[in-house]
Structure formats: C-alpha cells, structure tokens
Amino acid sequence: MSDRSFLPTQFDAVIVGAGFAGMYMLHRLRGLGLAAVVFEAGGDVGGTWYWNRYPGARCDVESMQYSFSFDSELQQHWRWSEHYAAQPEILAYAQHVAERLDLRRDIHFETRVESSHFDERTNRWTVRSSKGGVVSAQFCIMATGCLSTAKVPDLPGLKSFTGQTFHTGAWPHEGVDFTGQRVGVIGTGSSGIQAIPVIAQQAAHLTVFQRTPNYSIPAQNRPMPPEYEQSWKAEYAERRRQSWTMRSGILYNLNDKPAMDATEDERQREFERRWQGGGIQFMSSFNDLILSKAANDTAAEFVRAKIRSIVRDPAVADLLSPKDYPIGTKRICVDTDYYATYNRDNVTLVDINAAPITAITPTGLQAGGRDHTLDSIVFATGFDAITGTLLAMDIQGRGGQSLRAAWADGPRSYLGLMVAGFPNLFTITGPGSPSVLSNMLGSIEQHVDWIADCLGYLQARGAASIEATDAAQDDWGAEVTEAGNRTLYPQTKSWYAGANIAGKPRVFMPYIGGVPAYRQKCAEVAADGYTGFRIGDGAAAQVQPPSMVQV
Ligand code: NA7
C-alpha cells in the first residue's frame, strides 16, 4: 500500500466533506472515471452523524426514508431497528456504505480545507488543507453540510468555568457520564429537546436555560414493525418516486384540505390523530398550516393545550408554550418524553429570555442576578447554519473575489448548486435549494446526481468550465425570496434566516417552493443544455506535471 500521507497534486475533483453527500459524490465521480479526493475534518465518515453524538440524538425523518436509494441491494439488505433511528445506528450505516463502496481509500480524514482559490488561466482550483498540503483540481465540490459549524455563545467568563463544557454538535466520542452531577443545558432547539430527557435521567439535577420555547411533537418512536419494513422493501423504488412528489421529499399522508374549511371538531380529531401518529407529519394535518396564520394558530393552540395537559406545574407549562411565532416556522422538534421531563423533581426550567445569562462563573453561571451552581454546562446552542461552514473557508473565485464578499448581503446562488463568479465550484444542498426543508438524504442524492451528470456532459464536450450567469442567479434568488414570502416562515427569527448569528444578513436561505418544483427545474435546466450556465470550452490545463505533495 502506498503511503497515504502523500498525494499527487492533480485531480479532476476535490470533494470537501465525507458525510452522506461527499460519500455519494465520490462514488459517482469514480463511476465517471474521474480522479477524485475527499478531505474530511472528522476522523471517519458520517458528517453530522459523526459529530452529533449527544445523548438522545436521533433523526426526525423515519428510517425507511432516511437512507440512500441509489443502491437497491443496499436498501433491501440494510435493517433499521427503530422507526426513527438513533445516531449510533445512522453512523453505523454510513460506515457500512463506506466499506461496501470501498470509499475510505480516497478520503483523507482529520484534514480540514482552509482555502480554495480559482485560477482563471487554468480553470482549476488550488485547495490547501490544514496539514499544509496543496492540490489542484478542475472541480471543487463542497459537501460540507448545512449544520456543521457549531456555535458556542460568546459569554463573558466562559474560560473561567472549572467544570466541563460540551456542545451537542461536537460531543466526545467516549460519551459523558453525568451521574451525580448538577448539569445545565442552554438551548431548547431540536438538540436540546432530544438531550434533555436523557440527561435528566442521569444527572443529580438538571437546569434547563430556555430563551425561546419550541413546539415539539412526540416521535412515538418504536421498534421497526416488520410488516412496515416489508411493505417499504416490497415497493421501495415506487415509494421513493412518490416521495419526490411531496413538498418535503418525504412520503407521508398529506391532508389536502385547508384547516379553516374543517369544523373545530374535525380539526381537533385530525391534530389528535397526527399527534398520536408522531413526528413532523403533524404539520401536514392540513394543507395551509404554513401559509395561513389563522390555520397555523389552530395547530399552535392544539400543541399548547397538550403542553398544559402534560406538564403539572401551570407556570412551567406556560413558560414552555411558544406564543409569539407560528408553529413550524422554526424547525419543528420531535421528542421522546420532552414535556413530561419537567414533571421530574430533579429538573428546573429557567427563563433566560426574561432574565438573560450575564456571565459564566468558575462554579456555574449567572442569570437574572441569580447564581446557578453547575458541574457541567451543555451548549445546545445550534450552528452557523447553511452558509457558516462555506464562509469559514477562504474561497476565492474569479478575479480573487472572496465568497465572503460575494455573500456580504446574504447568499446568492443559482439553484443552490453554483455561484456566479465561482466557476467549477459546486455546493451540495447549498443555500437556495430545498436542503434543510426536505429529506436531506433525498436532496443530497438529487444534487449529487445532477452534478455528476453535469460533469459527464462537460467531459463529453471536453469543456474546461461551467459557471452560473448573474442573470440566472438573480432570477433564482428572486424566486427563492418570493417562495419564502408566500409562507409564514420569514416572520420568525430562525436559523433558516440567519437570525441566530449576530451580524449575519437576514435572508431566508432554503428554497421552500417544494421538492417537486425544484427537481423539475433542475431537470429542465440540464435537459436544455444547462440554461443559466456559461460553459467554457477547451480542456482544463494541468498546471504542473503530476508530482507528490504532502497533504
Ligand atoms: P437550534 O435549533 O439553533 O437551537 C439552539 C437553541 O439554543 C435555541 O433554543 C436558541 O434559542 C438557543 N440559543 C442559541 N444561542 C443562545 C444564547 N446565546 N443564549 C441562550 N440560548 C441560546 O440548534 P439545534 O442544535 O437544537 O438544532 C439544529 C438543527 O439540527 C435542527 O433544527 C435539526 O434540523 C437538526 P433561540 O431560539 O435562538 O432564542
């Protein structure tokens, strides 16, 4: 075996990230006969599922759908143990895929990409890694994920804390034993809501510091029913196709009726049925919950009533009840025993909206003039979502323009796939694509397939470059904004719109026009010879003869 710390400098493509997107991209590029290398900051494949190992971490898309569809044998033989898979099982699945496709031999782990610069003379990208290596590639494909830059708030005194601190998105691999400890969890988004019930069972005392309450629907998780698994496996291909006709790319029963056309009684029955069914399909109880405030109010009030019925202390129930934003416009949470956890004697809820955290102290934290003594602090405080990881790299396109400058007023992109001024650079599930509003695995596959087909097309033409035009990018940006404005989403401060990061432009980043419309647009663009893209002819020059360089 060759020394894996040395690589030839020239590649057809560099892929950044070895989560599901980078893994499948590598597989497709190999199929095209292209020389590709992957750089991955983590120690193994899995992306999100490699990093997010906090207690209770679980997918909120059901297992039968949160998996690759491109390999029929794989989807037939792989067995999920639960309706919603937990993190260790999803990570095991990613590792299994890496072995099955023999992916690891082209992946360099614990290697972070620091910069990527485009050379207009050669139409190639020069990519530098944290290990000091430099490679050149015609194409650079960002498979960096939408939620991969963890955000710890910059609280005064953070370094003075003498206990341990954790972020849910960078959890220690060996796990954490909270037995006998006073634990504080800051943040009540999806991660906090999943972790809190599990930590509460272990800790001596758990204090939850809540800034904004979230709507959460019980997962009603259960061991995978064999007949359910069988029903999917018997018609997997057809069901996958059906899932692409759904706005979210997830196949479930959408009620195609507006909430306000139903009687109060009918609404309650439908919400109750969905609550008992569990999970995000609650938001499909009626077809207008994200479009009409009046409709949304009925669903929000149903959840608030549930909270009041579960949580014994009315003051705590009230504090846990979201009141000032529509349900679903912040990512809806899916839980196991979340609200009931507040009935435990060892759990306290602290409102840091009314009385913010002012400092971390050596022994805990201060909020509202009160000291809270803690042995460990868990930051469930989220991510610099969708653009954060891309902007953390020094990416420079045509004329040395940085991506940071190009996106100073918010991300601009054509189809979430390419950015004008950055030829031969692709973003998998980038801003302006359905991404986090859809089944990520399905959207990853669609993007990877589109990019691979595009590279095949360029290969056949012997083309040197492809680049989104400004006009196409502007038109698409307007469409993304209009689609957002047709919904209640932009009314809410959320990470979808960058509101959780100080100074980040307030732009609703994902495309909410739905997976079917998006897939159709991408397919039409490709079928018409890549309309909205400029294709540069002439083979990409190789700057240097192949040599070896340490990466
Ligand atoms: P989220 O959904 O961004 O949640 C972060 C939580 O942390 C949320 O409750 C925030 O309150 C809170 N937060 C963030 N910064 C602070 C500070 N400075 N002080 C107090 N509280 C703070 O991240 P998650 O990891 O839970 O979920 C991310 C996605 O991963 C999720 O949607 C799934 O798609 C998977 P806020 O609401 O901003 O007031």
PDB file of all heavy atoms in Angstrom, residues 147 151 153 168 186-192 211-212 214 330-331 352 380-383 495 500, ligand 1:
ATOM      1  N   LEU A 147     -25.423  22.045   8.697  1.00  0.00           N
ATOM      2  CA  LEU A 147     -25.362  22.300  10.141  1.00  0.00           C
ATOM      3  C   LEU A 147     -24.066  21.712  10.673  1.00  0.00           C
ATOM      4  O   LEU A 147     -24.063  20.720  11.404  1.00  0.00           O
ATOM      5  CB  LEU A 147     -26.586  21.661  10.825  1.00  0.00           C
ATOM      6  CG  LEU A 147     -27.936  22.274  10.416  1.00  0.00           C
ATOM      7  CD1 LEU A 147     -29.076  21.293  10.626  1.00  0.00           C
ATOM      8  CD2 LEU A 147     -28.195  23.554  11.185  1.00  0.00           C
ATOM      9  N   LYS A 151     -21.998  26.494  17.225  1.00  0.00           N
ATOM     10  CA  LYS A 151     -21.914  27.862  17.737  1.00  0.00           C
ATOM     11  C   LYS A 151     -22.028  27.861  19.265  1.00  0.00           C
ATOM     12  O   LYS A 151     -23.065  27.506  19.820  1.00  0.00           O
ATOM     13  CB  LYS A 151     -23.062  28.669  17.127  1.00  0.00           C
ATOM     14  CG  LYS A 151     -22.970  30.155  17.346  1.00  0.00           C
ATOM     15  CD  LYS A 151     -24.317  30.803  17.112  1.00  0.00           C
ATOM     16  CE  LYS A 151     -25.220  30.533  18.254  1.00  0.00           C
ATOM     17  NZ  LYS A 151     -26.337  31.371  18.537  1.00  0.00           N
ATOM     18  N   PRO A 153     -22.088  30.365  22.380  1.00  0.00           N
ATOM     19  CA  PRO A 153     -22.216  31.810  22.574  1.00  0.00           C
ATOM     20  C   PRO A 153     -21.009  32.382  23.303  1.00  0.00           C
ATOM     21  O   PRO A 153     -20.417  31.721  24.156  1.00  0.00           O
ATOM     22  CB  PRO A 153     -23.488  31.978  23.405  1.00  0.00           C
ATOM     23  CG  PRO A 153     -23.922  30.626  23.812  1.00  0.00           C
ATOM     24  CD  PRO A 153     -23.134  29.606  23.054  1.00  0.00           C
ATOM     25  N   THR A 168     -23.451  20.165  21.841  1.00  0.00           N
ATOM     26  CA  THR A 168     -24.104  18.950  21.313  1.00  0.00           C
ATOM     27  C   THR A 168     -23.535  18.531  19.953  1.00  0.00           C
ATOM     28  O   THR A 168     -23.493  17.346  19.643  1.00  0.00           O
ATOM     29  CB  THR A 168     -25.627  19.181  21.166  1.00  0.00           C
ATOM     30  OG1 THR A 168     -25.831  20.435  20.485  1.00  0.00           O
ATOM     31  CG2 THR A 168     -26.315  19.205  22.518  1.00  0.00           C
ATOM     32  N   ILE A 186     -28.110  24.742  27.990  1.00  0.00           N
ATOM     33  CA  ILE A 186     -28.516  26.028  27.407  1.00  0.00           C
ATOM     34  C   ILE A 186     -29.000  25.755  25.987  1.00  0.00           C
ATOM     35  O   ILE A 186     -28.250  25.230  25.163  1.00  0.00           O
ATOM     36  CB  ILE A 186     -27.338  27.026  27.382  1.00  0.00           C
ATOM     37  CG1 ILE A 186     -26.769  27.236  28.794  1.00  0.00           C
ATOM     38  CG2 ILE A 186     -27.794  28.361  26.774  1.00  0.00           C
ATOM     39  CD1 ILE A 186     -25.525  28.116  28.851  1.00  0.00           C
ATOM     40  N   GLY A 187     -30.261  26.091  25.726  1.00  0.00           N
ATOM     41  CA  GLY A 187     -30.797  25.894  24.375  1.00  0.00           C
ATOM     42  C   GLY A 187     -31.871  24.833  24.348  1.00  0.00           C
ATOM     43  O   GLY A 187     -31.708  23.744  24.923  1.00  0.00           O
ATOM     44  N   THR A 188     -32.985  25.175  23.684  1.00  0.00           N
ATOM     45  CA  THR A 188     -34.109  24.239  23.594  1.00  0.00           C
ATOM     46  C   THR A 188     -34.582  24.122  22.145  1.00  0.00           C
ATOM     47  O   THR A 188     -35.775  24.225  21.838  1.00  0.00           O
ATOM     48  CB  THR A 188     -35.268  24.701  24.509  1.00  0.00           C
ATOM     49  OG1 THR A 188     -35.514  26.100  24.251  1.00  0.00           O
ATOM     50  CG2 THR A 188     -34.936  24.511  25.967  1.00  0.00           C
ATOM     51  N   GLY A 189     -33.614  23.954  21.216  1.00  0.00           N
ATOM     52  CA  GLY A 189     -33.932  23.589  19.834  1.00  0.00           C
ATOM     53  C   GLY A 189     -34.006  22.066  19.760  1.00  0.00           C
ATOM     54  O   GLY A 189     -34.084  21.378  20.788  1.00  0.00           O
ATOM     55  N   SER A 190     -33.941  21.530  18.557  1.00  0.00           N
ATOM     56  CA  SER A 190     -34.052  20.068  18.377  1.00  0.00           C
ATOM     57  C   SER A 190     -33.050  19.312  19.235  1.00  0.00           C
ATOM     58  O   SER A 190     -33.389  18.285  19.845  1.00  0.00           O
ATOM     59  CB  SER A 190     -33.804  19.687  16.927  1.00  0.00           C
ATOM     60  OG  SER A 190     -34.807  20.199  16.112  1.00  0.00           O
ATOM     61  N   SER A 191     -31.802  19.793  19.277  1.00  0.00           N
ATOM     62  CA  SER A 191     -30.756  19.058  20.007  1.00  0.00           C
ATOM     63  C   SER A 191     -31.048  19.062  21.501  1.00  0.00           C
ATOM     64  O   SER A 191     -30.994  18.016  22.164  1.00  0.00           O
ATOM     65  CB  SER A 191     -29.381  19.675  19.744  1.00  0.00           C
ATOM     66  OG  SER A 191     -29.107  19.712  18.373  1.00  0.00           O
ATOM     67  N   GLY A 192     -31.345  20.244  22.066  1.00  0.00           N
ATOM     68  CA  GLY A 192     -31.653  20.335  23.486  1.00  0.00           C
ATOM     69  C   GLY A 192     -32.857  19.469  23.836  1.00  0.00           C
ATOM     70  O   GLY A 192     -32.841  18.725  24.821  1.00  0.00           O
ATOM     71  N   ARG A 211     -34.307  30.228  26.191  1.00  0.00           N
ATOM     72  CA  ARG A 211     -34.511  31.592  25.687  1.00  0.00           C
ATOM     73  C   ARG A 211     -35.833  31.672  24.926  1.00  0.00           C
ATOM     74  O   ARG A 211     -36.624  32.569  25.131  1.00  0.00           O
ATOM     75  CB  ARG A 211     -33.349  32.006  24.780  1.00  0.00           C
ATOM     76  CG  ARG A 211     -33.397  33.472  24.418  1.00  0.00           C
ATOM     77  CD  ARG A 211     -32.080  33.970  23.891  1.00  0.00           C
ATOM     78  NE  ARG A 211     -31.747  33.410  22.583  1.00  0.00           N
ATOM     79  CZ  ARG A 211     -30.623  33.681  21.934  1.00  0.00           C
ATOM     80  NH1 ARG A 211     -29.708  34.479  22.481  1.00  0.00           N
ATOM     81  NH2 ARG A 211     -30.374  33.155  20.760  1.00  0.00           N
ATOM     82  N   THR A 212     -36.051  30.682  24.039  1.00  0.00           N
ATOM     83  CA  THR A 212     -37.299  30.655  23.265  1.00  0.00           C
ATOM     84  C   THR A 212     -37.894  29.254  23.363  1.00  0.00           C
ATOM     85  O   THR A 212     -37.211  28.280  23.032  1.00  0.00           O
ATOM     86  CB  THR A 212     -37.031  30.965  21.769  1.00  0.00           C
ATOM     87  OG1 THR A 212     -36.232  32.154  21.690  1.00  0.00           O
ATOM     88  CG2 THR A 212     -38.318  31.165  21.006  1.00  0.00           C
ATOM     89  N   ASN A 214     -39.964  25.999  22.200  1.00  0.00           N
ATOM     90  CA  ASN A 214     -40.177  25.418  20.878  1.00  0.00           C
ATOM     91  C   ASN A 214     -41.416  24.529  20.874  1.00  0.00           C
ATOM     92  O   ASN A 214     -41.776  23.973  21.899  1.00  0.00           O
ATOM     93  CB  ASN A 214     -38.971  24.560  20.501  1.00  0.00           C
ATOM     94  CG  ASN A 214     -38.219  25.142  19.337  1.00  0.00           C
ATOM     95  OD1 ASN A 214     -38.819  25.369  18.286  1.00  0.00           O
ATOM     96  ND2 ASN A 214     -36.943  25.396  19.505  1.00  0.00           N
ATOM     97  N   LYS A 330     -40.003  27.933  13.014  1.00  0.00           N
ATOM     98  CA  LYS A 330     -38.688  27.483  13.477  1.00  0.00           C
ATOM     99  C   LYS A 330     -38.762  25.988  13.255  1.00  0.00           C
ATOM    100  O   LYS A 330     -39.860  25.423  13.358  1.00  0.00           O
ATOM    101  CB  LYS A 330     -38.538  27.706  14.986  1.00  0.00           C
ATOM    102  CG  LYS A 330     -37.861  28.988  15.421  1.00  0.00           C
ATOM    103  CD  LYS A 330     -37.879  29.011  16.937  1.00  0.00           C
ATOM    104  CE  LYS A 330     -37.343  30.267  17.542  1.00  0.00           C
ATOM    105  NZ  LYS A 330     -35.916  30.482  17.404  1.00  0.00           N
ATOM    106  N   ARG A 331     -37.658  25.343  13.014  1.00  0.00           N
ATOM    107  CA  ARG A 331     -37.689  23.908  12.770  1.00  0.00           C
ATOM    108  C   ARG A 331     -38.507  23.192  13.857  1.00  0.00           C
ATOM    109  O   ARG A 331     -38.189  23.316  15.044  1.00  0.00           O
ATOM    110  CB  ARG A 331     -36.258  23.371  12.772  1.00  0.00           C
ATOM    111  CG  ARG A 331     -36.102  21.891  12.740  1.00  0.00           C
ATOM    112  CD  ARG A 331     -36.128  21.378  11.332  1.00  0.00           C
ATOM    113  NE  ARG A 331     -35.837  19.966  11.301  1.00  0.00           N
ATOM    114  CZ  ARG A 331     -35.365  19.356  10.234  1.00  0.00           C
ATOM    115  NH1 ARG A 331     -35.107  20.026   9.145  1.00  0.00           N
ATOM    116  NH2 ARG A 331     -35.140  18.067  10.250  1.00  0.00           N
ATOM    117  N   ILE A 352     -34.445  32.411  30.420  1.00  0.00           N
ATOM    118  CA  ILE A 352     -33.358  33.375  30.189  1.00  0.00           C
ATOM    119  C   ILE A 352     -33.746  34.401  29.114  1.00  0.00           C
ATOM    120  O   ILE A 352     -32.912  35.190  28.680  1.00  0.00           O
ATOM    121  CB  ILE A 352     -32.010  32.700  29.841  1.00  0.00           C
ATOM    122  CG1 ILE A 352     -32.170  31.734  28.677  1.00  0.00           C
ATOM    123  CG2 ILE A 352     -31.417  32.039  31.070  1.00  0.00           C
ATOM    124  CD1 ILE A 352     -30.851  31.272  28.103  1.00  0.00           C
ATOM    125  N   ALA A 380     -26.484  23.579  23.831  1.00  0.00           N
ATOM    126  CA  ALA A 380     -27.313  23.037  22.734  1.00  0.00           C
ATOM    127  C   ALA A 380     -27.734  24.244  21.912  1.00  0.00           C
ATOM    128  O   ALA A 380     -28.914  24.458  21.650  1.00  0.00           O
ATOM    129  CB  ALA A 380     -28.506  22.288  23.302  1.00  0.00           C
ATOM    130  N   THR A 381     -26.745  25.058  21.560  1.00  0.00           N
ATOM    131  CA  THR A 381     -26.990  26.405  21.049  1.00  0.00           C
ATOM    132  C   THR A 381     -26.913  26.507  19.523  1.00  0.00           C
ATOM    133  O   THR A 381     -26.918  27.617  18.983  1.00  0.00           O
ATOM    134  CB  THR A 381     -26.008  27.401  21.697  1.00  0.00           C
ATOM    135  OG1 THR A 381     -24.705  26.809  21.735  1.00  0.00           O
ATOM    136  CG2 THR A 381     -26.425  27.732  23.114  1.00  0.00           C
ATOM    137  N   GLY A 382     -26.851  25.374  18.847  1.00  0.00           N
ATOM    138  CA  GLY A 382     -27.021  25.386  17.404  1.00  0.00           C
ATOM    139  C   GLY A 382     -25.781  25.689  16.581  1.00  0.00           C
ATOM    140  O   GLY A 382     -24.644  25.554  17.053  1.00  0.00           O
ATOM    141  N   PHE A 383     -26.035  26.114  15.363  1.00  0.00           N
ATOM    142  CA  PHE A 383     -24.993  26.175  14.324  1.00  0.00           C
ATOM    143  C   PHE A 383     -25.078  27.475  13.530  1.00  0.00           C
ATOM    144  O   PHE A 383     -26.134  28.099  13.451  1.00  0.00           O
ATOM    145  CB  PHE A 383     -25.192  25.010  13.344  1.00  0.00           C
ATOM    146  CG  PHE A 383     -25.145  23.667  14.009  1.00  0.00           C
ATOM    147  CD1 PHE A 383     -26.290  23.122  14.584  1.00  0.00           C
ATOM    148  CD2 PHE A 383     -23.964  22.959  14.092  1.00  0.00           C
ATOM    149  CE1 PHE A 383     -26.256  21.883  15.223  1.00  0.00           C
ATOM    150  CE2 PHE A 383     -23.914  21.722  14.720  1.00  0.00           C
ATOM    151  CZ  PHE A 383     -25.059  21.182  15.284  1.00  0.00           C
ATOM    152  N   TRP A 495     -32.801  30.111  12.473  1.00  0.00           N
ATOM    153  CA  TRP A 495     -31.519  29.900  11.791  1.00  0.00           C
ATOM    154  C   TRP A 495     -31.706  29.730  10.289  1.00  0.00           C
ATOM    155  O   TRP A 495     -30.762  29.883   9.515  1.00  0.00           O
ATOM    156  CB  TRP A 495     -30.708  28.764  12.400  1.00  0.00           C
ATOM    157  CG  TRP A 495     -31.339  27.408  12.493  1.00  0.00           C
ATOM    158  CD1 TRP A 495     -31.865  26.812  13.602  1.00  0.00           C
ATOM    159  CD2 TRP A 495     -31.459  26.428  11.443  1.00  0.00           C
ATOM    160  NE1 TRP A 495     -32.319  25.543  13.314  1.00  0.00           N
ATOM    161  CE2 TRP A 495     -32.081  25.276  11.993  1.00  0.00           C
ATOM    162  CE3 TRP A 495     -31.098  26.400  10.092  1.00  0.00           C
ATOM    163  CZ2 TRP A 495     -32.360  24.130  11.251  1.00  0.00           C
ATOM    164  CZ3 TRP A 495     -31.377  25.252   9.341  1.00  0.00           C
ATOM    165  CH2 TRP A 495     -31.994  24.146   9.935  1.00  0.00           C
ATOM    166  N   ASN A 500     -29.882  33.592  14.168  1.00  0.00           N
ATOM    167  CA  ASN A 500     -29.207  33.141  15.402  1.00  0.00           C
ATOM    168  C   ASN A 500     -27.732  33.563  15.461  1.00  0.00           C
ATOM    169  O   ASN A 500     -27.049  33.252  16.428  1.00  0.00           O
ATOM    170  CB  ASN A 500     -29.308  31.606  15.535  1.00  0.00           C
ATOM    171  CG  ASN A 500     -28.574  30.875  14.427  1.00  0.00           C
ATOM    172  OD1 ASN A 500     -28.469  31.383  13.320  1.00  0.00           O
ATOM    173  ND2 ASN A 500     -28.065  29.706  14.726  1.00  0.00           N
TER     174      ASN A 500
HETATM  175  P1  NA7 B   1     -31.116  25.374  17.181  1.00  0.00           P
HETATM  176  O1  NA7 B   1     -32.372  24.864  16.620  1.00  0.00           O
HETATM  177  O2  NA7 B   1     -30.490  26.561  16.550  1.00  0.00           O
HETATM  178  O3  NA7 B   1     -31.374  25.673  18.727  1.00  0.00           O
HETATM  179  C1  NA7 B   1     -30.461  26.387  19.503  1.00  0.00           C
HETATM  180  C2  NA7 B   1     -31.070  26.734  20.821  1.00  0.00           C
HETATM  181  O4  NA7 B   1     -30.109  27.432  21.601  1.00  0.00           O
HETATM  182  C3  NA7 B   1     -32.282  27.651  20.713  1.00  0.00           C
HETATM  183  O5  NA7 B   1     -33.173  27.324  21.725  1.00  0.00           O
HETATM  184  C4  NA7 B   1     -31.660  29.024  20.925  1.00  0.00           C
HETATM  185  O6  NA7 B   1     -32.559  29.979  21.400  1.00  0.00           O
HETATM  186  C5  NA7 B   1     -30.632  28.699  21.978  1.00  0.00           C
HETATM  187  N1  NA7 B   1     -29.547  29.658  21.997  1.00  0.00           N
HETATM  188  C6  NA7 B   1     -28.698  29.952  20.997  1.00  0.00           C
HETATM  189  N2  NA7 B   1     -27.815  30.897  21.387  1.00  0.00           N
HETATM  190  C7  NA7 B   1     -28.120  31.192  22.671  1.00  0.00           C
HETATM  191  C8  NA7 B   1     -27.584  32.092  23.623  1.00  0.00           C
HETATM  192  N3  NA7 B   1     -26.569  32.887  23.325  1.00  0.00           N
HETATM  193  N4  NA7 B   1     -28.162  32.148  24.842  1.00  0.00           N
HETATM  194  C9  NA7 B   1     -29.194  31.356  25.127  1.00  0.00           C
HETATM  195  N5  NA7 B   1     -29.766  30.485  24.269  1.00  0.00           N
HETATM  196  C10 NA7 B   1     -29.226  30.408  23.053  1.00  0.00           C
HETATM  197  O7  NA7 B   1     -29.984  24.246  17.209  1.00  0.00           O
HETATM  198  P2  NA7 B   1     -30.141  22.690  17.436  1.00  0.00           P
HETATM  199  O8  NA7 B   1     -28.796  22.105  17.523  1.00  0.00           O
HETATM  200  O9  NA7 B   1     -31.079  22.396  18.533  1.00  0.00           O
HETATM  201  O10 NA7 B   1     -30.848  22.183  16.135  1.00  0.00           O
HETATM  202  C11 NA7 B   1     -30.293  22.456  14.855  1.00  0.00           C
HETATM  203  C12 NA7 B   1     -30.868  21.549  13.840  1.00  0.00           C
HETATM  204  O11 NA7 B   1     -30.199  20.292  13.896  1.00  0.00           O
HETATM  205  C13 NA7 B   1     -32.292  21.163  13.996  1.00  0.00           C
HETATM  206  O12 NA7 B   1     -33.183  22.090  13.554  1.00  0.00           O
HETATM  207  C14 NA7 B   1     -32.388  19.888  13.222  1.00  0.00           C
HETATM  208  O13 NA7 B   1     -32.507  20.173  11.860  1.00  0.00           O
HETATM  209  C15 NA7 B   1     -31.070  19.259  13.460  1.00  0.00           C
HETATM  210  P3  NA7 B   1     -33.321  30.972  20.353  1.00  0.00           P
HETATM  211  O14 NA7 B   1     -34.357  30.131  19.689  1.00  0.00           O
HETATM  212  O15 NA7 B   1     -32.261  31.458  19.374  1.00  0.00           O
HETATM  213  O16 NA7 B   1     -33.848  32.063  21.192  1.00  0.00           O
END
